[in-house]
Amino acid sequence: MAARSGLRTLTRSIQNVYKPACVQTSTVRFNSSDQAAKEAPVNIPMIQKMERICRNYIDQLEKPGGKHYNIQNFMMMYIFGSTTNTEYRTRLFDHWPTYLEDFNECKEIMGYRYPETLCEEFLTLNIEKDAKILDVASGPGNVAFILKQHGYSNMDGLDPSQGLLTAAMEKQLYKKTICCYVTPDEQTPIEDNTYDVLLCSAGMFPGSIVPQAFTELLRITKPGGIIAWNIADGYEGFNDFFLTYDSIYQQLIKDGKWEEVRPVKKLENMLFEDAGYTYVMKKL
């Protein structure tokens, strides 16, 4: 298991910026109300995807029946994501109660398939409909929205944005919600062995869930329970914490903490042409 020193900066109010090891970056200087200026590495591929979404948006506007979408919020989401500005990204979500509706309206131009592909994989497991499920990094409830259509209703949502959780509860997507981060250094307010299933759609990235927090996911899952997630290709270049992603994952297998229910699956075109990986594990 990777050493835990240096992880104390990952708290509920994660705000630090880390330079990716293998991802092309540039540097931006920005001002804030309580800081004169600071430099942050910018994830250039993410900015390029943002530019492509903008082009797709303009292209569809110029076609017959083109629609105006709430695209500006998605652009802010990508900007804050590209600079790992977790604080402002979360604050944006707190003021965006229509995220789920906006996403479903314009997902064709977003080129984003993480929630539906994770749900498709989960549904092949034939888990009982009354299974107690935790949607981790749930956002507005994209995963719960899909699974509810398949008869699953015993779901809770966990996310650091209270605004998104409130919107999801208004849609009755969850039994209850938990507003917190999942970090290596602080337990979530969830009892041991609580959930039959943990699902996490694209929630593992800098400023959200890092691989050093796998043990926390295991703690709150019942023995024999399922932990399934997906993650973008190139994850080892996200930042320094993800350099040990594979070794931490494999060590937990060697230590008898979990096992693969099926081999890791690589899926193409998860975000435009970018690939992603889906993991399905069972806690031992």
Side-chain angles (χ1 to χ4, degrees):
M1 182 60 62
R4 296 171 68 90
S5 60
L7 296 182
R8 300 297 172 186
T9 52
L10 273 164
T11 64
R12 288 182 190 275
S13 57
I14 302 173
Q15 298 178 30
N16 287 345
V17 177
Y18 305 98
K19 184 174 181 178
C22 305
V23 176
Q24 181 185 1
T25 64
S26 182
T27 300
V28 63
R29 183 178 292 276
F30 61 91
N31 294 318
S32 67
S33 59
D34 56 356
Q35 274 184 303
K38 68 178 181 178
E39 292 184 352
V42 177
N43 186 314
I44 299 301
M46 187 174 290
I47 294 295
Q48 291 170 332
K49 289 179 178 63
M50 182 171 68
E51 190 269 347
R52 181 168 178 179
I53 292 170
C54 290
R55 285 191 282 113
N56 288 349
Y57 177 61
I58 298 298
D59 288 343
Q60 70 85 27
L61 274 180
E62 295 176 348
K63 293 178 181 178
K67 296 181 179 180
H68 288 275
Y69 297 133
N70 188 9
I71 197 71
Q72 68 273 15
N73 279 6
F74 287 107
M75 294 304 97
M76 285 192 283
M77 178 181 76
Y78 269 86
I79 290 169
F80 294 141
S82 70
T83 57
T84 322
N85 192 330
T86 306
E87 177 194 354
Y88 272 83
R89 191 171 183 270
T90 301
R91 288 169 64 179
L92 167 65
F93 291 148
D94 285 341
H95 297 283
W96 193 1
T98 60
Y99 180 108
L100 184 59
E101 293 86 346
D102 294 338
F103 176 82
N104 287 332
E105 276 192 341
C106 63
K107 64 181 178 181
E108 285 189 18
I109 68 171
M110 299 287 288
Y112 185 81
R113 299 196 309 126
Y114 281 90
E116 53 261 49
T117 54
L118 182 64
C119 290
E120 288 167 5
E121 191 70 22
F122 169 74
L123 291 171
T124 66
L125 300 175
N126 297 315
I127 301 292
E128 295 292 331
K129 296 293 195 248
D130 61 351
K132 189 174 180 61
I133 300 172
L134 179 65
D135 186 3
V136 181
S138 61
N142 302 66
V143 167
F145 179 79
I146 296 171
L147 292 185
K148 196 166 185 179
Q149 299 172 47
H150 292 273
Y152 291 94
S153 59
N154 190 15
M155 296 180 284
D156 296 340
L158 182 152
D159 196 86
S161 169
Q162 186 58 59
L164 292 182
L165 294 175
T166 298
M169 287 296 286
E170 289 173 354
K171 299 176 182 68
Q172 300 181 331
L173 294 177
Y174 299 117
K175 295 283 189 182
K176 71 173 183 178
T177 57
I178 304 107
C179 187
C180 70
Y181 287 98
V182 179
T183 76
D185 298 318
E186 187 172 355
Q187 289 188 356
T188 59
I190 301 172
E191 297 293 329
D192 295 357
N193 307 320
T194 295
Y195 290 97
D196 300 302
V197 178
L198 262 62
L199 299 175
C200 181
S201 172
M204 295 188 184
F205 59 87
S208 185
I209 303 171
V210 295
Q212 290 78 8
F214 280 152
T215 52
E216 174 62 9
L217 301 181
L218 281 161
R219 183 186 69 80
I220 62 177
T221 304
K222 294 177 182 178
I226 296 295
I227 304 174
W229 72 92
N230 49 25
I231 189 171
D233 191 14
Y235 52 81
E236 66 279 359
F238 284 175
N239 67 11
D240 288 348
F241 291 110
F242 284 84
L243 291 174
T244 53
Y245 175 99
D246 288 325
S247 62
I248 293 173
Y249 169 79
Q250 291 294 340
Q251 189 61 50
L252 289 170
I253 293 176
K254 293 176 183 177
D255 291 344
K257 302 299 183 182
W258 62 13
E259 67 179 10
E260 293 179 348
V261 174
R262 54 192 55 168
V264 178
K265 181 185 293 186
K266 184 176 183 179
L267 297 173
E268 302 297 332
N269 305 312
M270 293 291 282
L271 177 58
F272 296 122
E273 291 82 15
D274 290 357
Y277 296 93
T278 300
Y279 292 75
V280 183
M281 308 299 293
K282 181 171 73 171
K283 177 180 174 177
L284 299 177

